[in-house]
């Protein structure tokens, strides 16, 4: 399988291609609804923090971006930086989506955590690195895998497993021993993938499931 792809650390010059990949792979997600410019800025942000990690995969025959994994050891610092750096753009796109997209408005309640995170990030008092806590004070590891993107045409190719393993090797080399992730409870495909590839379910909440694994 791996001879179909090559892998490299995430760089700033990947951002345009990753914005297109994100819109193909996740067309109905919150970030996608805010437009290509916001998506592009989101992936650029992963190149601006020493606590962030990322691996991209390219299809050898065309050199096109085919997959991505990104994560961070400081979620609050990452999003604080993203929202502060891109506040006018995000605010404009958010208002436009609320006014012009009925589906976006209907899902506003489900998207409230992202909106609240944006507001906290813009506050001078917001943020501060620390352990992520779930219900009943359960402590989650700080290193978090935030997104796996796979070109829809390449799902089932084995790319998701290979690029995930490259990401795990990257964070292990940086000195991390565990990584966690959250996934929506209705994302059956992702949940099945994580269960099959060595992740352990550690917490369930109304917003989704939390998995962790050693690296």
């Amino acid at each position: 399988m791996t001879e179909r792809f090559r892998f490299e650390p995430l760089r700033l010059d990947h951002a345009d291609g990753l914005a297109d990949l994100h819109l193909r792979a996740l067309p109905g997600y919150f970030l996608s609804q805010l437009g290509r410019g916001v998506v592009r800025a989101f992936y650029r942000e992963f190149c601006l923090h020493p606590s962030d990690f990322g691996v991209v995969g390219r299809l050898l025959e065309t050199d096109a971006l085919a997959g991505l994994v990104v994560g961070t050891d400081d979620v609050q610092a990452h999003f604080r930086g993203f929202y502060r750096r891109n506040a006018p753009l995000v605010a404009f796109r958010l208002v436009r989506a609320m006014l012009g997209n009925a589906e976006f408005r209907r899902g506003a309640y489900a998207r409230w955590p992202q909106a609240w995170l944006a507001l906290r990030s813009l506050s001078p008092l917001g943020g501060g690195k620390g352990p992520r806590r779930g219900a009943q004070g359960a402590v989650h590891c700080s290193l978090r895998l935030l997104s796996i993107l796979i070109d829809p045409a390449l799902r089932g190719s084995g790319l998701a497993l290979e690029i995930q393993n490259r990401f795990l090797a990257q964070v292990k080399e940086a000195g991390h021993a565990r990584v966690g992730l959250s996934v929506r409870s209705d994302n059956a495909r992702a949940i099945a993938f994580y269960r099959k590839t060595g992740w352990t379910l550690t917490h369930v909440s109304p917003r989704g499931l939390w998995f962790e694994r050693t690296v």
Side-chain angles (χ1 to χ4, degrees), residues 17-208:
L18 291 175
D20 295 333
L21 176 62
H22 180 104
L23 293 174
R24 292 197 305 273
L26 304 172
Y29 275 54
F30 174 79
L31 198 64
S32 305
Q33 298 296 314
L34 298 182
R36 186 178 184 277
V38 175
V39 177
R40 178 180 181 274
F42 178 74
Y43 289 114
R44 282 179 57 86
E45 195 69 30
F46 284 97
C47 302
L48 304 178
H49 300 266
S51 57
D52 288 358
F53 301 91
V55 177
V56 301
R58 290 185 180 273
L59 190 61
L60 281 175
E61 59 185 288
T62 64
D63 204 39
L65 290 174
L68 164 78
V69 181
V70 288
T72 181
D73 186 38
D74 195 337
V75 173
Q76 292 190 11
H78 175 88
F79 282 100
R80 185 169 63 248
F82 167 67
Y83 285 118
R84 288 180 176 176
R85 211 180 313 275
N86 300 282
L89 175 62
V90 173
F92 171 74
R93 294 288 185 172
L94 184 60
V95 170
R96 191 170 78 167
M98 288 294 292
L99 293 177
N101 188 326
E103 182 180 353
F104 190 93
R105 289 195 300 274
R106 284 193 294 270
Y109 176 77
R111 296 181 176 95
W112 172 244
Q114 291 94 331
W116 175 242
L117 180 59
L119 291 172
R120 287 191 62 198
S121 298
L122 292 172
S123 166
L125 300 178
K129 184 176 178 180
R132 186 177 187 275
R133 293 185 178 272
Q136 291 82 47
V139 177
H140 302 318
C141 59
S142 62
L143 179 59
R144 185 175 180 182
L145 189 159
L146 291 180
S147 180
I148 297 182
L149 292 179
I150 301 296
D151 191 306
L154 294 168
R155 288 171 183 164
S157 67
L159 174 59
L161 177 60
E162 182 64 24
I163 200 169
Q164 172 194 264
N165 289 342
R166 300 289 178 126
F167 173 82
L168 296 175
Q170 185 185 61
V171 300
K172 183 176 182 178
E173 185 177 353
H176 295 281
R178 290 188 67 78
V179 58
L181 62 85
S182 60
V183 60
R184 296 189 326 197
S185 56
D186 61 351
N187 193 341
R189 183 187 184 96
I191 292 168
F193 172 77
Y194 295 129
R195 289 185 183 277
K196 184 174 66 175
T197 58
W199 296 80
T200 300
L201 178 65
T202 61
H203 176 66
V204 178
S205 77
R207 292 178 181 171

